[in-house]
Amino acid sequence: MSRIGKQPVTLPKGVTATVSSDNVLTVKGPKGELKQAIDRDIKVEVKEDHLEFTRPTDQIRHRALHGLYRALVFNMVKGVTDGYKRQLELIGVGFKASNQGNVLDLALGYSHNIIFEIPKELKLATSQEKGENPKITLEGVDKQLIGQVAAKIRSLRKPEPYKGKGVRYVGEVVRKKAGKAAGK
């Protein structure tokens, strides 16, 4: 049995879950609503305060999907109750970030600014305090979407290994390489 798949997903107060006939799970909570299509082989049972996942056989495919869908639904329940937040920081001389609504304007050392549109499901905030690096904050209920958008922003200027300049997650540790002079 899958160690993750056999654990039930508890539903906090104010969160409801429903499964439609075509195996689409809908989770509603105080922060929003999320939907997830679930493979027809995996059965989802909605009990009064929790969800249980069962698989028909011990095939490799069923074992893999069992834990996967349980983890996805757990992230959905956490998202509609608490929400998710991801912060990025810009490290480099002249690197700036500003936003107009959900449009992010980045100055990352290229000849032109990068205009990046954030999906409407996410909240975007930028901050620039004296003596600190500019920060970009993404908030929303969908963990997958936040991670994908944050990774896309980071890919616009990845941290380079010699000085560490670029866009990185807050708290990310970048391993630095020794330069040419270190070999002498």
Side-chain angles (χ1 to χ4, degrees):
M1 207 52 176
S2 168
R3 280 188 282 188
I4 292 175
K6 68 182 176 186
Q7 297 173 355
V9 176
T10 56
L11 297 173
K13 285 190 172 23
V15 176
T16 58
T18 55
V19 181
S20 66
S21 60
D22 54 341
N23 233 17
V24 174
L25 181 77
T26 305
V27 178
K28 291 181 188 170
K31 294 225 176 200
E33 175 181 341
L34 290 173
K35 293 179 187 240
Q36 174 67 48
I38 294 178
D39 192 272
R40 58 183 170 7
D41 293 339
I42 305 296
K43 301 289 179 253
V44 182
E45 292 180 49
V46 181
K47 306 281 171 113
E48 53 220 37
D49 65 338
H50 65 277
L51 297 169
E52 289 181 357
F53 296 84
T54 55
R55 64 177 186 236
T57 67
D58 273 346
Q59 290 178 4
I60 292 174
R61 180 177 171 277
H62 289 154
R63 290 195 323 236
L65 293 176
H66 191 204
L68 168 76
Y69 285 117
R70 189 265 176 204
L72 290 176
V73 171
F74 177 80
N75 289 338
M76 289 167 57
V77 170
K78 187 173 181 232
V80 297
T81 52
D82 304 332
Y84 287 101
K85 184 177 182 179
R86 196 75 159 141
Q87 283 191 313
L88 297 113
E89 61 183 342
L90 281 58
I91 296 172
V93 177
F95 286 13
K96 293 181 183 133
S98 62
N99 68 309
Q100 295 280 321
N102 265 17
V103 177
L104 182 63
D105 186 2
L106 297 167
L108 297 176
Y110 296 116
S111 62
H112 59 284
N113 283 6
I114 298 170
I115 308 295
F116 190 85
E117 193 165 341
I118 305 293
K120 65 183 182 320
E121 295 90 8
L122 301 180
K123 287 185 193 140
L124 172 69
T126 55
S127 64
Q128 169 65 56
E129 293 171 22
K130 191 164 178 79
E132 287 189 21
N133 295 317
K135 285 192 172 51
I136 302 167
T137 305
L138 296 168
E139 289 185 68
V141 294
D142 192 349
K143 185 177 185 178
Q144 260 178 305
L145 184 62
I146 286 183
Q148 188 176 1
V149 171
K152 181 67 179 162
I153 292 170
R154 183 180 181 273
S155 74
L156 296 173
R157 184 75 145 197
K158 287 186 180 165
E160 54 97 14
Y162 295 102
K163 290 185 179 177
K165 297 190 323 188
V167 180
R168 67 170 82 162
Y169 302 116
V170 170
E172 179 183 3
V173 177
V174 175
R175 291 181 57 200
K176 293 185 181 172
K177 291 181 177 180
K180 287 194 299 186
K184 293 181 182 176

